[in-house]
Amino acid sequence: MMKSAVKWRVSYMPQKINWDDVAHEAETGKIYRADYKDKHGRTVLVLRPGLENTTSGKGQIKYLVYCLEKAIMNLTEDQEKMVWLTDFQSWTLGSTPLKVTRETVNVLQDCYPERLGLAILYNPPRIFESFWKIVKPFLDHETYKKVKFVYSSDKESQKIMADVFDLDKLDSAFGGRNPATFEYNSYAERMRADDIKMGSSFKSNGITLPQDHSHVSADKEANGGGSDASRALKMVKLD
């Protein structure tokens, strides 16, 4: 898993994506990093697939990768996993093309192994059951175990939210007491600050990003050889 992830990082160079590259994808708040962590110190990514605003699968995946990079960068020193919190408001079967869904699963499982701590699907509509039956085979067993269905009308499943989150910080859309909502301009400022922080982190560690890595062989990439793969190992903490 680590070899595959490092090979992908060498070719995709996810750390080179900056806010201005993906800002248009973020306009509706379909994915964003919450300004709070869960009780375990895990970064929280909020996903609202019903607010999809573009049609380019490539662009959507690029924005997802950007969000994952920033989520990992903001983990506490003793934490390596994140939480995905999905709100199904306005979601329909047409909101999320199956091809993009499958690519999303592949990115999470293959490119960011062991980074997911918990995925909460909040108030999925009944029609989602059909979609879930199609998606479920894409998930490996370990990922599947981390997926929890939570319903606002079910007191038992609501206990999951109270156990995982500080309800004073959690968005009201997920049963918390925080009335704040996604605000694009302020979020853009946060992300630009993250871009600067990430760039400073590379410089402080003496890492320079290569402009051309086409000369690195697949064997070197997979086994950690070559300067590009060595840099990639420094850029990502993999279990």
Side-chain angles (χ1 to χ4, degrees), residues 12-24:
Y12 197 92
M13 299 301 282
Q15 67 286 338
K16 292 183 71 175
I17 305 170
N18 59 49
W19 173 252
D20 290 331
D21 296 329
V22 296
H24 63 288

Side-chain angles (χ1 to χ4, degrees), residues 8-239:
W8 171 80
R9 293 189 71 86
V10 169
S11 61
Y12 197 92
M13 299 301 282
Q15 67 286 338
K16 292 183 71 175
I17 305 170
N18 59 49
W19 173 252
D20 290 331
D21 296 329
V22 296
H24 63 288
E25 294 280 351
E27 290 176 352
T28 59
K30 63 185 179 185
I31 307 177
Y32 64 92
R33 179 171 58 81
D35 59 1
Y36 56 85
K37 292 181 171 62
D38 77 345
K39 289 182 177 180
H40 302 285
R42 296 178 293 195
T43 304
V44 178
L45 275 186
V46 176
L47 296 89
R48 292 195 161 101
L51 300 182
E52 182 57 72
N53 63 324
T54 65
T55 57
S56 169
K58 184 177 180 180
Q60 292 163 11
I61 294 299
K62 186 175 183 179
Y63 180 53
L64 171 67
V65 168
Y66 175 83
C67 292
L68 289 170
E69 290 290 303
K70 294 303 182 285
I72 292 169
M73 188 186 77
N74 283 279
L75 288 168
T76 56
E77 287 294 325
D78 60 344
Q79 185 55 257
E80 295 186 345
K81 300 181 185 293
M82 69 185 80
V83 175
W84 282 26
L85 189 51
T86 305
D87 178 8
F88 281 88
Q89 185 175 359
S90 302
W91 183 88
T92 67
L93 280 176
S95 298
T96 314
L98 187 60
K99 182 179 179 181
V100 175
T101 300
R102 186 165 189 168
E103 183 65 19
T104 297
V105 171
N106 290 341
V107 166
L108 179 63
Q109 293 182 162
D110 300 339
C111 306
Y112 295 91
E114 296 302 320
R115 285 298 191 181
L116 180 66
L118 177 67
I120 293 177
L121 306 183
Y122 197 83
N123 281 340
R126 182 173 296 275
I127 196 173
F128 180 75
E129 294 177 8
S130 299
F131 187 76
W132 180 246
K133 288 178 182 178
I134 299 174
V135 173
K136 188 177 175 181
F138 302 162
L139 305 175
D140 64 41
H141 182 64
E142 289 303 311
T143 301
Y144 175 72
K145 290 194 304 183
K146 298 171 183 177
V147 178
K148 304 295 182 184
F149 285 73
V150 176
Y151 299 90
S152 57
S153 58
D154 185 335
K155 290 184 179 180
E156 286 301 313
S157 65
Q158 277 294 303
K159 289 181 181 179
I160 294 175
M161 306 304 285
D163 289 342
V164 175
F165 301 101
D166 179 342
L167 296 183
D168 287 332
K169 297 179 180 178
L170 181 66
D171 310 51
S172 57
F174 298 106
R177 293 186 282 268
N178 182 359
T181 57
F182 176 80
E183 203 284 311
Y184 178 80
N185 291 329
S186 59
Y187 189 69
E189 291 181 8
R190 285 175 58 198
M191 293 303 98
R192 289 194 175 100
D194 273 2
D195 286 350
I196 294 172
K197 185 163 57 174
M198 179 173 279
S200 298
S201 177
F202 288 146
K203 290 179 181 179
S204 66
N205 285 286
I207 300 173
T208 56
L209 303 182
Q211 297 301 313
D212 180 10
H213 48 264
S214 59
H215 61 284
V216 180
S217 71
D219 286 343
K220 281 187 175 182
E221 291 173 10
N223 290 292
S227 60
D228 287 357
S230 299
R231 291 186 182 97
L233 280 167
K234 291 180 181 179
M235 294 172 194
V236 63
K237 298 194 307 182
L238 293 171
D239 296 333

